Each structure stands twice: as C-alpha cells, then as structure tokens.
Amino acid sequence: MTVWETAAALVMMAAGSIYGTKKKAWGRRALFFKVLATMSGVLLSLQSALLTPELWRWLLTAGLLLCVAADVLLEIQLLAGVSFFGAAHLCFLGASFCLGGWKLPAAGMALILYGIFFLSFRRYLPKLGNLLVPGLIYPALLCLMAGTAVLASWGEAGQAPATFGAGGLLFVASDYLLAERVLGKSRKGQNMAVLILYYGAVYLIALG
C-alpha cells in the first residue's frame, strides 16, 4: 500500500468507528465523522485521477463525491439521500462502461442480485407508499452497477482493477443490510456491519 492508501484507510476506519459508536449520543453532530470517512475515499480517488487523468477515474471520483452528499442527506431526508446514491451509481456505471463492463454477463449478474433483493423484500413493497418507485429503481441501479463493475474487473474485456468489482459487491451487501434495518428486520451488530461494508466499498472503489 502507498502512503496515501494507508492514510485514507486509517482515517476511514477511525472516523467511521467514531460515527458508528457516537451516532445515537451525538445525533447529527456525528455526521462530521461520517463525511470525513467518505471524503478520505474521495481524496484518494482524486489523487489517482490527477495522476492518471482518464475519464473512468474522474467518474469514480464524482460518484464518491455524490456519496458524501448522500451520507448527509440520508440523515435529513431519506428520498434525497437515496437519489444522490442513485446518481453515484450512475457515475460508477459510466466508469464500468469505459472499462469494458457493458457485456451481456453483467446484465445476468445484475438480474440475479436484483432477484435476491426482490424476493427478500417483496412483502414490504405495499407498505412503501410513495417510496415504491424509488424502492424498485434504486436496487436496479445498484445491482447493475455491481454487475458491470465485476465484469469490468474480472471479465475477458475488463480493464479495471479487481478492487472495483469487489467494491461494487460490498455496496450491494451494505445496502441489503441497510434495507433490512430500515424495514424493521434489525439484528444485533447490524448497524456496524452496514458501516464496515459501506466504507469497505468506498475504499475499494476509490482504489479503482
């Protein structure tokens, strides 16, 4: 690991841990540490984009910056936060397409992941009300992003580092657990698991 990668990992772990343990006690004041953790990924990605100014690196950086905004908005207004995460996934999708992740197997993987989401949470759909449409669209974007990221990393025509595909899969796992928590299927240690998976995804995507 380079000095920058090590520093970003340490800041992310420290700030993410503070946010996870102090969120209930500090309320929105803890958001500073949530933002700091994700921003360390943005700065790591930005450094790579400046050193190797390719479009896909800038798209990853833009997507991670949108994640920072989503981190804050998610605590204020759920739909706004989900919308910004959706925009972030569009940026990651663009990066995947630049790196050869647009082949048909990516769609197959996305359908499998989306099917897992749908089967797991289908009974909650009638309760979503005006969040039904976003609740159907967001997982589709998330799963398509992960599928294309994996193909861009490990497919025959893929050009991305393996960390990109791994980050996409961790994002899916994080949001799956988050959806369980939001819909009332909370388990002990789930909040910290969501954060670990999320910041793991951010870090691996930032490594690009």
Side-chain angles (χ1 to χ4, degrees):
M1 294 176 70
T2 67
V3 173
W4 285 102
E5 290 168 355
T6 303
L10 291 174
V11 170
M12 193 173 289
M13 286 189 292
S17 297
I18 293 172
Y19 171 74
T21 56
K22 298 297 184 181
K23 178 185 176 182
K24 286 186 177 179
W26 293 357
R28 289 185 179 175
R29 289 178 296 168
L31 275 175
F32 170 80
F33 294 97
K34 187 180 187 183
V35 168
L36 178 61
T38 312
M39 272 302 300
S40 66
V42 173
L43 295 176
L44 180 60
S45 181
L46 178 61
Q47 186 222 13
S48 297
L50 291 171
L51 291 175
T52 312
E54 299 174 352
L55 177 59
W56 68 273
R57 292 189 182 276
W58 286 109
L59 286 169
L60 290 186
T61 304
L64 291 171
L65 191 58
L66 286 167
C67 287
V68 174
D71 281 343
V72 175
L73 291 171
L74 204 61
E75 303 283 342
I76 300 171
Q77 213 283 329
L78 179 63
L79 185 56
V82 170
S83 298
F84 269 76
F85 271 124
H89 294 321
L90 286 175
C91 290
F92 300 148
L93 264 173
S96 296
F97 279 31
C98 291
L99 293 163
W102 50 270
K103 303 292 184 180
L104 189 59
M109 179 174 291
L111 283 173
I112 292 171
L113 292 172
Y114 189 76
I116 293 171
F117 265 85
F118 185 81
L119 292 174
S120 297
F121 301 112
R122 67 188 186 282
R123 67 180 181 274
Y124 296 103
L125 295 179
K127 301 178 182 179
L128 292 180
N130 61 354
L131 293 176
L132 177 61
V133 174
L136 292 172
I137 292 176
Y138 176 78
L141 275 177
L142 171 69
C143 295
L144 186 58
M145 178 278 292
T148 56
V150 168
L151 197 65
S153 297
W154 299 315
E156 291 182 6
Q159 306 169 49
T163 51
F164 184 29
L169 291 176
L170 286 186
F171 225 126
V172 172
S174 172
D175 279 358
Y176 184 92
L177 290 181
L178 180 60
E180 281 193 337
R181 191 186 75 189
V182 170
L183 294 171
K185 297 172 64 178
S186 183
R187 296 190 294 267
K188 186 177 180 180
Q190 193 172 33
N191 290 348
M192 191 57 70
V194 168
L195 289 176
I196 291 170
L197 289 169
Y198 172 62
Y199 287 124
V202 168
Y203 184 73
L204 291 174
I205 290 172
L207 289 176

